[in-house]
């Protein structure tokens, strides 16, 4: 019986020592983060004042954000900030300026291939237009 007890203790101790080694040797699992946004997103943007919705493509690549609709109005590619502390749900914020059209701020949440958020466009004359959007990650 003492040999059995000694074996159980040895096995338990061995597994506690080997487990961290196994974890470090296992293939890395992509951590949520900026990578959660990486790629193109097809979204439907709806003006909060009840105007006609339009389609846009949001692209996140190497810490940069761009809106195809925004590009047409002079909003260039810009940096974005991501908050991934929520685990599977991540949020982002991006602000861009246009030389002629004012400034725009996008905020959004992404989870499991779905995205939704808001965009506020402060036009050059100081007026503000607010939008909501939702969509999905584009096929690769």
């Amino acid at each position: 019986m003492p040999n059995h007890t000694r074996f159980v203790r040895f096995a338990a101790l061995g597994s506690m020592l080997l487990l961290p080694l196994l974890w470090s040797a296992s293939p890395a699992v992509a951590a949520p983060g900026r990578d959660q946004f990486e790629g193109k997103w097809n979204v439907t943007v709806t003006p909060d004042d009840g105007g006609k919705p339009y389609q846009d493509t949001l692209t996140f690549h190497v810490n940069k954000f761009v809106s195809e609709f925004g590009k047409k109005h002079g909003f260039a590619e810009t940096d974005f900030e991501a908050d991934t502390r929520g685990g599977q749900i991540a949020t982002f914020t991006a602000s861009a300026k246009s030389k002629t059209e004012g400034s725009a701020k996008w905020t959004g949440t992404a989870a499991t291939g779905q995205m939704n958020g808001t965009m506020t466009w402060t036009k050059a004359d100081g007026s503000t237009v607010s939008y909501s959007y939702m969509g999905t990650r584009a096929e690769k």
Side-chain angles (χ1 to χ4, degrees):
M1 198 64 134
N3 286 338
H4 176 68
T5 304
R6 199 174 295 154
F7 175 76
V8 170
R9 285 184 187 162
F10 177 76
L13 178 62
S15 65
M16 289 187 333
L17 294 173
L18 288 176
L19 203 51
L21 292 173
L22 292 174
W23 282 332
S24 65
S26 65
V29 175
R34 289 184 184 270
D35 292 345
Q36 189 160 341
F37 294 105
E38 187 74 17
K40 294 184 183 232
W41 297 79
N42 297 322
V43 297
T44 301
V45 183
T46 306
D48 289 351
D49 66 4
K52 183 178 178 183
Y54 65 88
Q55 300 300 307
D56 195 2
T57 299
L58 306 180
T59 303
F60 297 82
H61 181 66
V62 190
N63 302 327
K64 297 291 185 178
F65 166 85
V66 68
S67 157
E68 291 303 314
F69 175 82
K71 281 179 21 180
K72 294 175 185 175
H73 293 276
F75 295 104
E77 180 178 80
T78 187
D79 294 334
F80 73 95
E81 295 179 19
D83 182 351
T84 60
R85 292 176 289 181
Q88 297 298 319
I89 299 174
T91 60
F92 84 94
T93 302
S95 296
K97 292 188 179 191
S98 167
K99 291 180 181 176
T100 59
E101 300 278 344
S103 62
K105 180 177 181 179
W106 290 264
T107 61
T109 303
T112 62
Q114 304 286 318
M115 179 180 283
N116 63 55
T118 61
M119 190 266 283
T120 303
W121 182 358
T122 303
K123 296 195 176 191
D125 66 4
S127 64
T128 302
V129 182
S130 297
Y131 301 83
S132 299
Y133 66 86
M134 63 177 18
T136 58
R137 185 181 299 274
E139 296 292 322
K140 292 187 177 190

